[in-house]
């Protein structure tokens, strides 16, 4: 029997929307995963996406979804307002580490503690990408950025913030994981994690959070291939991959 | 409905509920905490939303979320708390998101004190946020007017898709007065043409405040300022009190307006032709109306609980038609009817003396 392989562009992506990210950037991969999952859940007509500030900002240029913009770090608040008014709609935020873990970490934590029924995707490329690669809260010790030209020094600026581990400690969090998108296997696992976070909302379990380690070759001054290697060999040693909370598993035990 | 004895802050909260406010997001700060307490006691049992947010930044951004869905939402705060909301208010004006912000002013700058003051006129009317924008600002002088203007705030916010600020002060927030709630008197506009509720059988919508393509932001700015011109034309309101033959015109907003009214009555009792011009909308400011009054007056005396803020709008409205004097107290100091009367007496005598000299 002949096998037909069909690739269909997700309905949740605009037909004429082209990703405008740098070569090797992780954003496009994650945005596509999100669009595929929204299609899978048949939620395109019932979704309100919340954009943020940074390279994560232009959601309305890619998604065939309603989009509300938020000020820097405040996407979880805008999402809270939307979800409380439209509890039957699917609401997610898409943010970077500068937005969700640096300027907006207070909002991230409190939204998790309140157990808002929203899903939050945080791309962690350990720097402020859009402004040209400055150090963020998640920057690794020793990492060279434009504001730490000799590498981040712990004695001067402390240590990287581990967002997923902290969010997992919040009682309102239903699902929390850190994933990477360095290869096909990882991308499939990332998709499974984001699906879990979406299900936490759809099943009324609580707050879903997925931190995605992603490459920023332009600001890291690496090739895309070197960036992937860097994530695997360096970043993952500090920002460890894993599922830090899953209430569906805990319930089964 | 009959009159009830009600505290200013609670009257604002109940009026918001009557206006159909579905969400209150706020963070406690004196002298307006009763608004949040009242909402916390009533909204959840009505099936509406109440959240004590983690900060004023969070509160106003939750209001934005609600506003993008076309839902009536409100936050409230005071001086330094309102300062924290400025970025979001600017974003609301740009993205055209409705929402009501109640500002119950306290003494400033800094943490200041918790006494009534009017030092946040500039913050409210000129905007403490970035970029070209205008917030519609309504200024009540009595508890009754606070109710009426809360109703109007929700209506105007939806009508123009712009944030509306109700600018009160600690005196009004804390005082009790008889007032009649009546009913929400407005017919709200249809929001279905723009609100976010999922792209069901229509193209996807977005409500954002970043406009990078060349020319896009300028075009938006021009359109928004055309809207402000419409607001100026259609929504400007003020109260005139004994202005017909007034030689000395007092200008004051909010609670100082009612204090000045007592001084006007006392001066009239002594035969002085004094009147009061009290702007109710601070943006749009009743420029033309004040100019018309000033043309027939010998002097305008601006009264405020600050070092002279509305004074700039008064001067530009009077536009040289007559001299403008200022008398105010700040840092929580209160103006009394007697203090204003003494100042009126002094200036009224000076006007007459000048006139005699000219003759």
């Amino acid at each position: 029997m002949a096998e037909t392989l069909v690739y269909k562009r997700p309905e949740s992506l605009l037909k004429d929307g082209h990703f405008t990210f740098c070569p090797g950037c992780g954003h496009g991969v994650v945005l596509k995963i999100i669009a595929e999952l929204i299609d899978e859940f048949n939620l395109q007509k019932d979704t309100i996406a919340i954009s943020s500030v940074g390279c994560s900002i232009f959601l309305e240029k890619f998604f065939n979804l309603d989009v509300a913009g938020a000020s820097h770090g405040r996407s979880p608040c805008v999402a809270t307002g939307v979800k409380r008014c439209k509890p039957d709609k699917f609401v997610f935020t898409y943010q970077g580490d500068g937005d969700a873990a640096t300027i907006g970490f207070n909002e991230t934590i409190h939204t998790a503690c309140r157990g808002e029924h929203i899903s939050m995707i945080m791309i962690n490329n350990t720097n402020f990408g859009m402004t040209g690669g400055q150090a963020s809260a998640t920057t690794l010790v020793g990492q060279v950025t434009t504001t730490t030209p000799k590498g981040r020094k712990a004695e001067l600026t402390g240590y990287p913030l581990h967002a997923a581990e902290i969010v997992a400690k919040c009682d309102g969090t239903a699902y929390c994981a850190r994933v990477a998108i360095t290869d096909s296997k990882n991308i499939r696992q990332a998709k499974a994690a984001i699906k879990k976070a979406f299900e936490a909302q759809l099943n009324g379990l609580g707050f879903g959070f997925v931190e995605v380690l992603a490459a920023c070759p332009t600001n890291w001054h690496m090739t895309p291939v070197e960036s992937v290697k860097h994530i695997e060999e360096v970043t993952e040693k500090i920002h460890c991959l894993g599922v830090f909370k899953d209430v569906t598993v805990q319930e089964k035990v | 409905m009959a009159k009830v004895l009600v505290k200013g802050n609670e009257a604002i909260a109940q009026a918001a509920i009557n206006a159909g406010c579905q969400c209150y997001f706020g963070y406690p700060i004196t002298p307006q905490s009763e608004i949040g307490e009242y909402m916390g006691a009533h909204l959840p049992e009505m099936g509406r939303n109440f959240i004590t947010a983690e900060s004023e930044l969070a509160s106003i951004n939750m209001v934005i979320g609600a506003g993008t869905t076309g839902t009536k939402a409100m936050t409230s705060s005071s001086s330094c708390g309102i300062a924290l909301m400025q970025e979001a208010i600017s974003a609301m004006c740009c993205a055209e998101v409705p929402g009501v912000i109640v500002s119950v002013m306290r003494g400033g700058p800094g943490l200041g004190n918790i006494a009534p003051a009017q030092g946040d006129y500039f913050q409210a009317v000129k905007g403490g946020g970035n970029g070209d924008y205008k917030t519609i600002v309504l200024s009540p002088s009595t508890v009754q007017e606070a109710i009426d203007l809360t109703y109007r705030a929700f209506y105007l916010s939806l009508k123009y898709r712009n944030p509306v600020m109700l600018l009160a002060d600690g005196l009004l927030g804390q005082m009790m007065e008889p007032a009649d709630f009546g009913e929400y008197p407005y017919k709200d506009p249809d929001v279905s043409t723009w609100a976010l509720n999922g792209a069901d059988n229509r193209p996807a919508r977005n409500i954002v405040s970043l406009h990078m393509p060349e020319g896009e932001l300028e075009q938006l700015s021009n359109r928004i300022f055309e809207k402000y011109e419409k607001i100026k034309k259609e929504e400007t309101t003020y109260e005139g009190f004994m202005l017909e033959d007034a030689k000395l015109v007092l200008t004051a907003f909010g609670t100082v307006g009612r204090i000045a009214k007592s001084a006007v009555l006392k001066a009239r009792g002594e035969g002085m032709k004094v009147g009061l011009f009290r702007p109710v909308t601070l943006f749009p400011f009743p420029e033309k109306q004040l100019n018309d009054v000033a043309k027939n007056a010998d002097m305008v005396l601006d009264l405020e609980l600050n070092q002279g803020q509305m004074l700039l709008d008064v001067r530009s409205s009077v536009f040289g038609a007559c001299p403008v004097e200022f008398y105010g107290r700040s840092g929580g100091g209160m103006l009394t009817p007697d203090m204003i009367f003494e100042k009126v007496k002094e200036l009224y005598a000076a006007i007459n003396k000048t006139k005699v000299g000219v003759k």
Side-chain angles (χ1 to χ4, degrees):
Chain A
M1 212 167 87
E3 191 181 57
T4 314
L5 290 175
V6 176
Y7 172 80
K8 193 166 167 278
R9 188 179 173 81
E11 290 289 323
S12 297
L13 286 178
L14 287 171
K15 284 193 175 62
D16 53 355
H18 305 292
F19 292 136
T20 49
F21 302 109
C22 305
C25 169
H27 277 294
V29 173
V30 183
L31 289 170
K32 194 179 147 207
I33 288 175
I34 292 171
E36 286 172 350
L37 285 170
I38 290 173
D39 277 15
E40 193 179 318
F41 286 115
N42 197 23
L43 287 168
Q44 187 266 335
K45 293 175 166 56
D46 290 303
T47 296
I48 297 161
I50 317 298
S51 63
S52 55
V53 173
C55 292
S56 50
I57 196 165
F58 291 117
L59 297 190
E60 73 277 10
K61 304 214 184 303
F62 314 129
F63 280 140
N64 182 23
L65 303 170
D66 276 9
V67 174
S71 302
H72 202 18
R74 318 298 166 219
S75 309
C77 309
V78 174
T80 296
V82 170
K83 185 71 180 182
R84 292 291 183 116
C85 294
K86 300 282 176 189
D88 55 336
K89 300 293 172 187
F90 180 72
V91 180
F92 75 93
T93 72
Y94 186 79
Q95 307 169 255
D97 52 286
D99 196 271
T102 309
I103 194 170
F105 198 54
N106 193 39
E107 285 75 2
T108 302
I109 290 297
H110 282 273
T111 307
C113 287
R114 285 196 308 272
E116 296 292 341
H117 292 185
I118 64 171
S119 313
M120 184 166 167
I121 311 302
M122 181 188 113
I123 305 301
N124 182 4
N125 56 19
T126 68
N127 77 156
F128 286 96
M130 187 175 251
T131 46
Q134 297 79 15
S136 76
T138 63
T139 294
L140 308 179
V141 172
Q143 185 179 338
V144 173
T145 72
T146 58
T147 50
T148 54
K150 291 181 179 170
R152 181 175 184 173
K153 289 185 169 54
E155 61 272 29
L156 292 178
T157 56
Y159 300 89
L161 183 146
H162 302 295
E165 285 85 342
I166 300 172
V167 169
K169 294 283 181 196
C170 301
D171 291 348
T173 303
Y175 181 82
C176 179
R178 183 182 292 113
V179 296
I181 45 169
T182 42
D183 57 25
S184 304
K185 186 183 161 209
N186 269 325
I187 289 171
R188 290 174 75 86
Q189 281 176 353
K191 189 172 178 177
I194 293 172
K195 187 174 180 177
K196 277 278 205 177
F198 284 7
E199 283 170 343
Q201 174 179 177
L202 295 169
N203 297 330
L205 300 176
F207 184 68
F209 182 90
V210 178
E211 176 179 337
V212 184
L213 297 184
C216 186
T218 300
N219 289 313
W220 290 357
H221 300 286
M222 293 177 190
T223 65
V225 174
E226 287 165 353
S227 299
V228 165
K229 210 173 150 205
H230 175 76
I231 292 173
E232 287 171 343
E233 293 178 0
V234 182
T235 315
E236 285 179 17
K237 301 284 183 290
I238 306 298
H239 294 301
C240 305
L241 305 188
V243 176
F244 300 101
K245 190 170 187 185
D246 185 347
V247 294
T248 60
V249 171
Q250 282 167 6
E251 276 167 7
K252 280 175 193 163
V253 172
Chain B
M1 255 168 87
K3 281 194 174 182
V4 289
L5 189 65
V6 60
K7 194 176 188 174
N9 282 335
E10 292 175 353
I12 291 167
Q14 182 59 50
I17 290 172
N18 294 355
C21 175
Q22 295 297 317
C23 307
Y24 173 89
F25 308 117
Y27 187 93
I29 179 172
T30 309
Q32 64 77 55
S33 297
E34 294 88 350
I35 298 177
E37 289 169 353
Y38 195 93
M39 291 305 212
H42 291 86
L43 287 183
E45 66 187 32
M46 300 173 78
R48 302 188 193 182
N49 290 295
F50 169 85
I51 296 177
T52 297
E54 55 269 34
S55 68
E56 290 86 351
L57 297 171
S59 313
I60 187 71
N61 282 284
M62 289 174 188
V63 169
I64 290 181
T68 58
T69 67
T71 308
K72 290 184 193 172
M74 179 175 112
T75 186
S76 64
S77 188
S78 178
S79 303
C80 18
I82 298 289
L84 283 171
M85 299 183 185
Q86 295 301 326
E87 176 199 36
I89 293 171
S90 160
M92 288 169 87
C93 289
C94 183
E96 297 185 275
V97 178
V100 172
I101 303 134
V102 179
S103 168
V104 184
M105 292 179 280
R106 55 189 257 171
L111 292 175
N113 59 27
I114 57 170
Q118 295 184 317
D120 302 330
Y121 180 91
F122 283 155
Q123 184 193 54
V125 178
K126 304 306 173 192
N130 54 302
D132 279 334
Y133 73 94
K134 299 282 185 189
T135 314
I136 299 171
V137 184
L138 310 177
S139 163
S141 67
T142 63
V143 172
Q144 181 64 57
E145 200 176 23
I147 293 167
D148 298 340
L149 292 182
T150 300
Y151 291 158
R152 198 168 166 217
F154 278 97
Y155 171 66
L156 292 180
S157 182
L158 275 185
K159 181 178 177 187
Y160 293 104
R161 286 182 63 187
N162 203 75
V164 177
M165 186 176 284
L166 185 77
L167 186 65
D169 62 53
L171 189 67
L172 190 65
Q174 296 298 323
M175 69 164 57
M176 287 186 95
E177 270 191 308
D180 186 349
F181 280 94
E183 278 176 17
Y184 181 66
Y186 302 102
K187 191 179 177 303
D188 289 326
D190 176 26
V191 301
S192 67
T193 52
W194 58 266
L196 303 186
N197 60 353
D200 192 2
N201 288 316
R202 59 159 174 79
R205 291 172 179 164
N206 64 78
I207 298 182
V208 301
S209 77
L210 183 74
H211 301 275
M212 292 294 277
E214 192 180 343
E216 191 176 294
L217 186 60
E218 185 178 15
Q219 212 176 1
L220 175 87
S221 175
N222 289 339
R223 185 171 61 70
I224 285 176
F225 270 75
E226 275 171 30
K227 179 170 80 176
Y228 296 150
E229 283 306 314
K230 189 165 181 267
I231 293 171
K232 281 185 192 177
K233 209 172 283 174
E234 295 180 11
E235 308 298 347
T236 304
T237 50
Y238 72 100
E239 182 196 7
F241 182 67
M242 297 190 158
L243 285 174
E244 293 72 23
D245 59 346
K247 294 289 155 204
L248 177 61
V249 173
L250 310 185
T251 53
F253 72 97
T255 47
V256 180
R258 65 193 288 163
I259 299 165
K261 219 180 235 183
S262 304
V264 167
L265 286 171
K266 195 168 178 188
R268 285 278 173 176
E270 300 204 2
M272 289 181 263
K273 290 176 178 173
V274 180
L276 169 70
F277 185 98
R278 181 177 67 85
V280 173
T281 52
L282 300 182
F283 176 79
F285 193 83
E287 293 170 4
K288 193 188 169 303
Q289 294 86 342
L290 178 55
N291 184 264
D292 288 345
V293 168
K295 277 175 186 159
N296 296 316
D298 292 327
M299 185 181 281
V300 167
L301 169 60
D302 180 47
L303 303 158
E304 299 180 64
L305 295 181
N306 57 45
Q307 300 282 5
Q309 295 194 11
M310 184 175 79
L311 178 62
L312 269 65
D313 284 328
V314 170
R315 277 186 186 145
S316 73
S317 302
V318 170
F319 205 63
C322 70
V324 177
E325 293 288 327
F326 175 75
Y327 182 50
R329 292 185 71 188
S330 76
M334 185 50 65
L335 286 172
T336 65
D338 283 343
M339 290 164 75
I340 296 173
F341 174 72
E342 288 306 318
K343 188 73 185 174
V344 163
K345 221 161 64 173
E346 174 197 322
L347 290 174
Y348 203 83
I351 292 170
N352 283 340
K353 203 172 165 189
T354 316
K355 285 204 160 173
V356 171
V358 171
K359 277 172 191 170

